[in-house]
């Protein structure tokens, strides 16, 4: 993100340094204060109360995803995910020798999702909820269908909800995000939830995330590891997450206003500077998934834009569905966004 750090976060970190409190934390039992706050935040924000006994601190969200893959599946097993997909998920499957099962994105494609799952029999689904890179928001009916499919085909769902604070819509509407574990009691027992303050509050370099394990076998497996096997949380990252989640609401609301303006503005900017490109406004995230196939077969949009001075994520990184696409980060001011898109168009 191209925004200053939330004042609540910088004040808390400055105070930590001022006190010289960078030694071992004095938190008592695990999980960390940030992980405990996660329980409160989920309850207040989405009406879902994770079991604190099943909450684990992590270094990052990807670590949680990989732990679940490692402990719940074996080499050669199939794992399903909606594609185009956040590329570290795809890389995880390749590096870990799992077989990727691609699912189509869209509430109107759930029947297809079910057919593919029935055919391919994946053991696990990585649900990127909301979805990176398309910005798709899974609503209750779609989530309920996915939960039914999971139940019918004995699928474990790893729900990555790192973008859930970045869902657009009325901030007082608690239904704008529904944690997958909150869909039903049955869904909860098949779900591993991973999330972090790092995406919405731009703290990704600090390395802290949290995992809630609704799935009994995985929870048992995790408990069988000795303490510190997966490391221990970073005091700076935990303090930052606590500050963000306790006192960061105003900052986040202001950021959401800018992101909302940008996602709308991009429609006109693309029409003006990249006519022929196609873009569906994201329901969530600060990412724009842009189809630039109009640039011609064989053209590599990322390279063209790079030559014009703009760095975007290349679509093919997100799987074959990303061919001809790019992913643009919109977390900047409207003025900078305008410069970016003007430059993308060669202006
Ligand atoms: C869907 C998704 N999951 C995970 C991450 C990375 O999180 P972490 O750095 O905590 O692994 C990102 C970062 O962009 C993301 O978009």
């Amino acid at each position: 993100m191209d925004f200053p750090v939330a004042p609540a976060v910088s004040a808390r970190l400055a105070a930590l340094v001022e006190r010289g409190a960078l030694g071992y934390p004095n938190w008592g039992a695990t999980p960390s204060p940030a992980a405990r706050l996660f329980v409160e935040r989920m309850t207040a924000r989405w009406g879902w109360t994770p079991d604190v006994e099943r909450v684990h601190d992590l270094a990052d969200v990807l670590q949680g995803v990989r732990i679940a893959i490692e402990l719940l599946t074996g080499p050669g097993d199939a794992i399903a995910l909606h594609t185009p997909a956040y590329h570290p998920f795809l890389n995880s499957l390749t590096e870990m020798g799992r077989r990727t099962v691609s699912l189509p994105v869209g509430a109107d494609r759930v029947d297809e999702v079910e057919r593919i799952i029935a055919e391919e029999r994946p053991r696990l689904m990585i649900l990127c909820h909301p979805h990176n890179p398309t910005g798709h928001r899974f609503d209750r009916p779609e989530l309920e269908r996915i939960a039914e499919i999971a139940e019918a085909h004995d699928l474990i769902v790893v729900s990555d909800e790192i973008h859930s604070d970045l869902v657009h819509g009325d901030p007082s509407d608690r239904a704008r995000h529904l944690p997958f574990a909150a869909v039903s009691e049955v869904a909860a027992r098949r779900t591993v939830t991973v999330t972090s303050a790092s995406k919405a509050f731009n703290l990704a370099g600090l390395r802290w995330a949290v995992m809630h394990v609704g799935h009994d076998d995985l929870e048992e497996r995790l408990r069988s590891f000795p303490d510190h096997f997966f490391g221990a949380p970073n005091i700076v990252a935990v303090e930052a997450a606590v500050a963000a989640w306790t006192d960061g609401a105003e900052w986040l609301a202001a950021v959401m206003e800018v992101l909302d303006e940008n996602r709308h503005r991009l429609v006109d900017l693309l029409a003006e500077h990249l006519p022929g490109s196609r873009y569906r406004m994201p329901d969530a995230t600060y990412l724009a998934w842009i189809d630039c196939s109009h640039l011609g077969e064989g053209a590599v949009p990322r390279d063209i834009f790079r030559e014009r001075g703009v760095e975007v994520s290349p679509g093919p990184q997100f799987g074959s569905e990303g061919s001809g696409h790019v992913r643009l980060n919109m977390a900047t001011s409207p003025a900078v966004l305008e410069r970016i898109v003007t430059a993308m168009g060669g202006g």
Side-chain angles (χ1 to χ4, degrees):
M1 277 185 179
D2 189 18
F3 303 126
V5 177
V9 172
S10 38
R12 188 133 175 160
L13 297 190
L16 194 70
V17 173
E18 185 68 23
R19 288 202 314 276
L22 299 179
Y24 292 118
N26 185 20
W27 294 327
T30 55
S32 74
R36 289 174 186 276
L37 202 55
F38 155 75
V39 175
E40 280 176 39
R41 186 172 175 86
M42 291 302 104
T43 309
R45 222 167 152 76
W46 314 123
W48 169 52
T49 304
D51 176 354
V52 71
E53 301 293 326
R54 287 169 170 248
V55 168
H56 304 267
D57 288 276
L58 297 170
D60 57 49
V61 162
L62 203 61
Q63 181 190 25
V65 172
R66 289 193 173 204
I67 288 173
I69 294 171
E70 176 67 23
L71 299 184
L72 294 169
T73 68
D77 281 353
I79 297 186
L81 80 182
H82 293 84
T83 55
Y86 175 58
H87 47 97
F89 294 159
L90 296 174
N91 299 343
S92 300
L93 302 190
T94 314
E95 286 165 25
M96 297 172 80
R98 277 30 171 200
R99 186 164 64 82
T100 302
V101 173
S102 291
L103 306 173
V105 180
D108 54 344
R109 313 277 306 264
V110 196
D111 289 341
E112 233 175 300
V113 165
E114 172 143 44
R115 183 184 52 72
I116 295 168
I117 285 175
E119 268 170 32
E120 301 285 346
R121 298 250 150 231
R123 174 91 188 94
L124 192 138
M125 175 196 281
I126 302 173
L127 184 68
C128 188
H129 171 34
H131 188 253
N132 173 3
T134 64
H136 173 68
R137 179 182 83 90
F138 296 85
D139 63 9
R140 179 181 276 279
E142 186 175 2
L143 293 168
E144 284 176 349
R145 277 297 310 283
I146 294 174
E148 279 167 26
I149 296 169
E151 191 60 22
H153 300 280
D154 196 16
L155 200 59
I156 300 161
V157 177
V158 177
S159 188
D160 174 344
E161 304 190 9
I162 195 169
H163 290 279
S164 56
D165 273 345
L166 297 170
V167 179
H168 292 286
D170 177 356
S172 67
D173 176 14
R174 287 218 313 193
R176 71 192 194 289
H177 175 74
L178 176 65
F180 190 75
V183 170
S184 68
E185 282 289 315
V186 173
R189 286 198 293 277
R190 311 198 150 268
T191 307
V192 179
T193 307
V194 273
T195 192
S196 173
S198 67
K199 198 61 40 193
F201 291 90
N202 203 29
L203 305 172
L206 293 182
R207 320 313 292 152
W208 177 81
V210 63
M211 171 162 70
H212 176 264
V213 183
H215 187 263
D216 288 342
D217 290 351
L218 180 60
E219 180 60 19
E220 206 174 301
R221 292 287 305 277
L222 281 173
R223 285 179 197 213
S224 73
F225 284 87
D227 254 8
H228 290 265
F229 190 88
F230 297 105
N234 170 339
I235 190 171
V236 178
V238 166
E239 288 284 330
V242 168
W245 282 348
T246 311
D247 297 315
E250 216 177 294
W251 180 91
L252 182 59
V255 164
M256 287 307 289
E257 273 185 33
V258 177
L259 299 183
D260 189 36
E261 182 177 343
N262 282 354
R263 73 182 177 136
H264 283 94
R265 183 88 181 86
L266 190 59
V267 175
D268 295 336
L269 287 172
L270 288 172
E272 185 180 345
H273 299 285
L274 270 182
S277 63
R278 285 185 301 173
Y279 154 74
R280 183 192 154 276
M281 214 169 47
D283 313 311
T285 80
Y286 47 75
L287 306 166
W289 182 241
I290 308 171
D291 182 350
C292 299
S293 4
H294 71 292
L295 293 174
E297 213 171 302
V300 182
R302 191 275 291 266
D303 292 351
I304 295 173
F305 299 140
R306 184 178 264 179
E307 271 172 28
R308 295 174 180 173
V310 177
E311 193 65 30
V312 293
S313 304
Q317 202 172 47
F318 302 85
S320 56
E321 294 80 357
S323 159
H325 289 66
V326 296
R327 194 193 67 177
L328 175 71
N329 183 329
M330 294 188 281
T332 187
S333 65
V336 171
L337 183 69
E338 182 162 349
R339 281 179 57 198
I340 288 172
V341 186
T342 307
M344 285 169 77

